[in-house]
Amino acid sequence: MTKHIVILAGDGIGPEIMAEAEKVLAKVNDQFGLGLSWSHELLGGCAIDTHGVPLPDVTLDAASKADAILLGAVGGPKWDQIERSIRPERGLLKIRSELNLFANLRPAILYPQLAHASSLKTELVAGLDILIVRELTGGIYFGQPRGIRILENGERQGYNTDVYSESEIRRIAHVAFQLAQQRNKKLLSVDKANVLEVTELWKQVVTEIAPEYPDVELSHMYVDNAAMQLVRRPKQFDVIVTGNLFGDILSDEAAMLTGSIGMLPSASLDQHKKGMYEPCHGSAPDIAGQGVANPLATILSVAMMLRYTFKADAAALAIEAAVGRVLDQGLRTPDIYSEGTTKVGTQAMGEAVVAAL
Ligand code: NAD
């Protein structure tokens, strides 16, 4: 049976970068005989324009049946004034929760050719390759009760609840251990167990699971130290697993170490490794339609999809190597351009990756 991908190009630069990612997907599909098929649906602003809602039933239905979803980006000023509950970004949150995509994988990889783009010293970041695994559907972002209430003395009080059940911790920990097994077999669990009971349990459960993965070296770190170490000596890390709130912050910090948002892919997986794959950046309305957006984050999202959902490691590696070769050739979209390199547009960059394959 062929495996099927639903492509949601979305808004702004979404369709431009997705067109290039699709060329790369078609190339490796042929080259490696992957037998993948794909079709397109609407999500975000384009879906609002056509169906009146950001996540139409037809899109959710197709995404539910698909083996993987490839997303461009959604949103833009055109839809910023409409009612909050039907804004483009709501479509994105809804599809993540409807598909139960609880494991968010955010690699922070710095190609040596782009080391100058980081705000850290080159020797600290050149060759950086970290994978942050963030729990995405629990913790303080979803815990009840929450709200802003009026106290008896008339003062307002805001409150949220950070809550994780054992099963939620266990399933994300298993994902992280298995990813560590596929990489350098080092897993760091980040918590604040000295202050927060919810993360004390987190640490206990992760530690309990560790004997099931004897080949993986598990360590623990408090989140404040992890934030510090990420800018002090980032290459000490391989796979990092943490909860929703800490993961949100640490993954953005790690992404910024690379200095180039147009290069970073991401994945959100469910229990069965079905996933939604997308670049970390947004729809970049400021450059949409100009043919200058960097398609590499979306192309690298295709590589992640092949690796994690379709277990096509050789094809994933081929895409990553092709991106490396294109950078070696000195080709750069404007966001990663520096003196002495060759500035190219979205399409030329995509076609160069296909040629390098
Ligand atoms: P953004 O990531 O779209 O843009 C930030 C800056 O980075 C801009 O200057 C943009 O030109 C640049 N940039 C982003 N991607 C690039 C690429 N591939 N190549 C070259 N330059 C790139 O973030 P924003 O400006 O805060 O948000 C714009 C819109 O995107 C908003 O509507 C926001 O809600 C939405 N958004 C969507 C997602 C998503 O779909 N996952 C994520 C973040 C933001």
Side-chain angles (χ1 to χ4, degrees):
M1 218 175 71
T2 64
K3 301 278 186 184
H4 192 73
I5 302 159
V6 162
I7 293 183
L8 308 167
D11 310 313
I13 59 169
E16 299 166 53
I17 52 181
M18 192 56 78
E20 303 315 312
E22 243 184 285
K23 289 177 193 165
V24 171
L25 177 60
K27 177 76 183 178
V28 290
N29 195 35
D30 275 358
Q31 230 175 6
F32 291 85
L34 300 177
L36 301 172
S37 64
W38 50 94
S39 56
H40 295 83
E41 299 294 343
L42 300 175
L43 178 80
C46 56
I48 297 172
D49 291 349
T50 311
H51 297 279
V53 288
L55 176 59
D57 290 343
V58 53
T59 300
L60 182 58
D61 189 47
S64 305
K65 289 182 184 139
D67 298 288
I69 298 135
L70 192 58
L71 171 71
V74 300
K78 182 178 174 194
W79 305 280
D80 275 352
Q81 303 309 323
I82 61 176
E83 203 239 308
R84 193 169 283 278
S85 68
I86 56 157
R87 289 211 192 139
E89 293 76 7
R90 284 299 169 106
L92 196 54
L93 292 179
K94 190 164 174 216
I95 196 170
R96 283 181 186 146
S97 66
E98 289 283 332
L99 299 181
N100 207 6
L101 304 172
F102 68 91
N104 185 222
L105 278 50
R106 291 266 305 258
I109 296 173
L110 183 56
Y111 283 84
Q113 301 93 325
L114 301 179
H116 64 273
S118 174
S119 49
L120 296 191
K121 289 186 202 123
T122 306
E123 65 268 26
L124 283 181
V125 290
L128 182 79
D129 184 356
I130 300 175
L131 179 63
I132 298 197
V133 182
R134 166 189 172 195
E135 202 292 328
L136 200 59
T137 54
I140 197 164
Y141 290 0
F142 293 91
Q144 296 288 347
R146 62 192 295 158
I148 299 174
R149 59 191 163 206
I150 312 278
L151 298 177
E152 272 175 16
N153 66 4
E155 194 186 7
R156 284 172 300 166
Q157 185 183 58
Y159 58 101
N160 289 87
T161 307
D162 198 358
V163 57
Y164 270 115
S165 62
E166 226 179 314
S167 57
E168 283 176 303
I169 303 168
R170 200 167 275 133
R171 67 178 183 177
I172 189 81
H174 279 297
V175 171
F177 273 110
Q178 285 159 21
L179 289 166
Q181 279 183 322
Q182 291 172 31
R183 293 171 47 106
N184 290 331
K185 303 185 170 48
K186 267 175 62 183
L187 176 64
L188 174 77
S189 172
V190 171
D191 61 63
K192 188 72 184 168
N194 51 342
V195 182
L196 300 173
E197 286 81 356
V198 57
T199 73
E200 192 183 328
L201 179 70
W202 177 284
K203 186 174 180 178
Q204 278 171 17
V205 174
V206 174
T207 306
E208 283 161 21
I209 289 170
E212 293 179 45
Y213 301 91
D215 53 335
V216 176
E217 179 196 325
L218 172 69
S219 57
H220 304 272
M221 198 179 272
Y222 296 141
V223 64
D224 41 350
N225 190 20
M228 239 165 25
Q229 294 297 331
L230 265 177
V231 286
R232 181 172 165 266
R233 214 161 50 81
K235 285 196 271 185
Q236 69 184 282
F237 297 119
D238 184 29
V239 181
I240 299 178
V241 64
T242 190
N244 208 340
L245 173 64
F246 298 162
D248 191 3
I249 298 165
L250 293 182
S251 62
D252 268 9
E253 186 189 359
M256 272 304 108
L257 297 177
T258 72
S260 41
I261 194 167
M263 297 292 301
L264 295 170
S266 78
S268 305
L269 305 180
D270 77 358
Q271 199 89 35
H272 310 287
K273 303 273 164 63
K274 169 175 175 161
M276 187 158 86
Y277 297 84
E278 56 183 305
C280 287
H281 59 72
S283 59
D286 53 333
I287 55 166
Q290 296 173 23
V292 295
N294 187 344
L296 293 179
T298 315
I299 289 171
L300 292 167
S301 300
V302 172
M304 282 190 92
M305 174 177 76
L306 297 179
R307 173 171 296 124
Y308 293 123
T309 292
F310 297 116
K311 307 276 175 262
D313 231 39
L317 284 169
I319 293 176
E320 288 159 357
V323 168
R325 275 204 292 284
V326 165
L327 295 176
D328 281 339
Q329 291 160 17
L331 303 186
R332 304 282 188 273
T333 43
D335 57 308
I336 51 172
Y337 174 77
S338 61
E339 233 179 75
T341 60
T342 310
K343 205 181 276 186
V344 297
T346 311
Q347 200 177 332
M349 187 57 111
E351 285 166 2
V353 175
V354 172
L357 276 162

